[in-house]
Amino acid sequence: MENRLAWILLNNNVKDLKRTSQYSYRRVNMKTRVVVTRRPGEVVLEECEIRPGDNEVLVKTYMSSICGTDKNYSQGMMPREVLVEQLAGNNEAHHAYPLKMGHEAAGEIVEVGRNVTDFKVGDKVMSFGWYNTMADYFTAPVVHNGFGVVKMPEGMSMEAASLGEPTACAVYAGMNSGVELGDTVVIVGVGFAGQVMAQVVKRMGAAKVICVDVVDGKLDLAKRMGADIVLNPERDDVAEVVMRETNRQGADVVIEAAGNDTAIQLCSDVLKHGGILGLYSWVLEPATLFINRWHNDGFDIRTLALMHRIKMDRPWWISKTLQNVANGMIRIDPLISHVFNLSEAAKAFEVACNDPAACKVMLKS
């Protein structure tokens, strides 16, 4: 009987298995392929065994995404606290190498643990945590603090859902940037997050959205997605253009999404007196900045990181941000630039790390 149920579940022929306290299904360990960074610069596909615990679900991965964190880890750039303390198991820091990869993904639940009541087989869910999602299958806990898995909103594509976590983060950043009707907003760095934030601040009433990046392909995409002005600092005088467009006042809001001190400095240079400086990126290298204006010009400085908020706030914000995508207000699918099969993981990482025009590189399981 148990073997028969395992076959049915894993072939998705039963979408909703009703269980009672006397009947709780638990399969034996199963094998899955998973992307592993053995050491910096060496990304491989390995096989391992997994099964869900009593408070976990087993998810058949539809698609996973390579994000900036994945790229940093694959190249040996872990945050200092991880290198020093080698923390693990808290979704904030990870093991040393070899490191199983992935935290952005969506898929369908094919098994639930004996204590799970909020999810069922057949539910489509998104990953919010480091659960080794670059795999055929992954397990994740059922928790209610913004980690674990989250049900897909109705109306959201599986492709967009596979980017649920970074989308929620970027939409949250735009919604909490302080933009008001008629503002001029500058976004420095228009990778995936910057592209999403540009759409959000426009929807929230920004009269003028100026996007800045050193990659023309990303600027072209930003323009197609609705940016008013795009600038490349390697050929454009960004500060002068911003001053001209704001009657020499400076931008009302600037958001840094490039991840380096040059970008942060540019944000400081083009912000108006009393303006809002939004910090989004996870900067891993020491920064050298001239920050006298932060004090003298009374900047309102805020960090825009959803996943590092108070834990009980996160579920509400995740639902709020992703509903805007499901409603069609924010477009995500056009930001997927490359799709590779899971077996091509090494090539996918090479593109993600080395092709400056790549926006979101995905792995299809």
Side-chain angles (χ1 to χ4, degrees):
M1 179 66 174
E2 184 170 295
N3 289 338
R4 173 62 178 166
L5 282 173
W7 186 90
I8 292 174
L9 283 170
L10 291 179
N11 283 275
N12 296 322
N13 289 328
V14 171
K15 298 301 182 183
D16 185 1
L17 179 62
K18 295 181 179 179
R19 299 176 297 121
T20 68
S21 58
Q22 291 77 33
Y23 187 80
S24 181
Y25 174 67
R26 165 73 66 90
R27 62 166 280 117
V28 296
N29 289 359
M30 64 171 295
K31 291 182 178 180
T32 183
R33 298 175 301 165
V34 61
V35 177
V36 177
T37 297
R38 286 181 177 167
R39 60 183 63 85
E42 185 182 358
V43 175
V44 299
L45 197 61
E46 294 184 354
E47 191 176 85
C48 70
E49 291 188 345
I50 60 171
R51 82 177 193 183
D54 289 346
N55 300 299
E56 294 182 327
V57 294
L58 176 67
V59 180
K60 173 67 179 78
T61 311
Y62 174 77
M63 193 178 281
S64 56
S65 166
I66 300 174
C67 90
T69 302
D70 300 310
K71 292 190 288 185
N72 287 336
Y73 285 6
S74 74
Q75 295 175 315
M77 294 184 288
M78 283 193 174
R80 182 178 179 275
E81 61 269 22
V82 176
L83 293 174
V84 172
E85 301 172 15
Q86 302 299 343
L87 299 177
N90 64 355
N91 282 299
E92 305 291 347
H94 313 289
H95 287 291
Y97 302 105
L99 178 65
K100 294 175 182 176
M101 304 297 290
H103 64 285
E104 300 175 357
E108 183 174 333
I109 293 177
V110 296
E111 186 183 338
V112 298
R114 68 175 70 245
N115 296 333
V116 175
T117 58
D118 296 346
F119 295 86
K120 65 183 184 299
V121 171
D123 282 346
K124 292 180 171 60
V125 294
M126 303 166 288
S127 167
F128 278 76
W130 196 278
Y131 303 121
N132 313 330
T133 57
M134 293 183 191
D136 296 308
Y137 296 86
F138 66 90
T139 60
V142 172
V143 291
H144 300 284
N145 60 4
F147 286 120
V149 289
V150 175
K151 291 180 182 178
M152 254 179 65
E154 186 175 347
M156 196 173 186
S157 72
M158 284 297 290
E159 286 74 18
S162 299
L163 291 163
E165 190 261 10
T167 297
C169 291
V171 174
Y172 169 88
M175 293 177 68
N176 286 272
S177 65
V179 62
E180 296 181 349
L181 189 67
D183 278 354
T184 294
V185 180
V186 176
I187 298 175
V188 180
V190 282
F192 177 81
Q195 300 281 353
V196 173
M197 287 185 274
Q199 296 181 65
V200 174
V201 297
K202 194 70 173 176
R203 283 282 190 177
M204 294 184 67
K208 198 171 294 181
V209 177
I210 302 173
C211 290
V212 181
D213 205 291
V214 296
V215 180
D216 287 333
K218 291 179 179 178
L219 295 175
D220 293 340
L221 177 59
K223 191 71 173 177
R224 294 196 301 272
M225 299 296 287
D228 297 291
I229 299 172
V230 296
L231 301 171
N232 186 327
E234 293 184 344
R235 64 169 178 270
D236 299 315
D237 187 338
V238 175
E240 176 56 31
V241 173
V242 172
M243 291 301 159
R244 185 174 67 241
E245 294 290 332
T246 59
N247 196 27
R248 315 307 297 181
Q249 297 300 304
D252 300 289
V253 177
V254 297
I255 303 174
E256 187 283 316
N260 57 68
D261 53 5
T262 301
I264 299 172
Q265 189 64 60
L266 180 59
C267 290
S268 301
D269 293 343
V270 302
L271 186 60
K272 75 175 186 180
H273 184 99
I276 299 173
L277 171 59
L279 301 175
Y280 181 82
S281 296
W282 191 10
V283 180
L284 298 180
E285 300 295 329
T288 300
L289 299 167
F290 294 96
I291 61 173
N292 60 299
R293 292 195 65 220
W294 293 21
H295 174 79
N296 289 338
D297 284 351
F299 287 174
D300 177 348
I301 302 171
R302 53 184 72 179
T303 57
L304 301 173
L306 167 62
M307 296 308 291
H308 303 288
R309 284 186 60 87
I310 298 170
K311 290 182 178 181
M312 297 311 295
D313 288 350
R314 288 196 294 254
W316 186 89
W317 273 109
I318 290 169
S319 175
K320 178 73 171 177
T321 54
L322 294 182
Q323 196 58 53
N324 291 324
V325 178
N327 291 341
M329 299 183 71
I330 307 299
R331 294 183 293 158
I332 300 301
D333 291 17
L335 304 180
I336 297 175
S337 58
H338 299 78
V339 178
F340 292 90
N341 291 326
L342 185 65
S343 59
E344 301 174 293
K347 183 178 179 181
F349 267 86
E350 182 179 348
V351 170
C353 293
N354 299 314
D355 183 350
C359 188
K360 264 301 180 181
V361 178
M362 311 293 291
L363 290 170
K364 186 73 177 289
S365 296

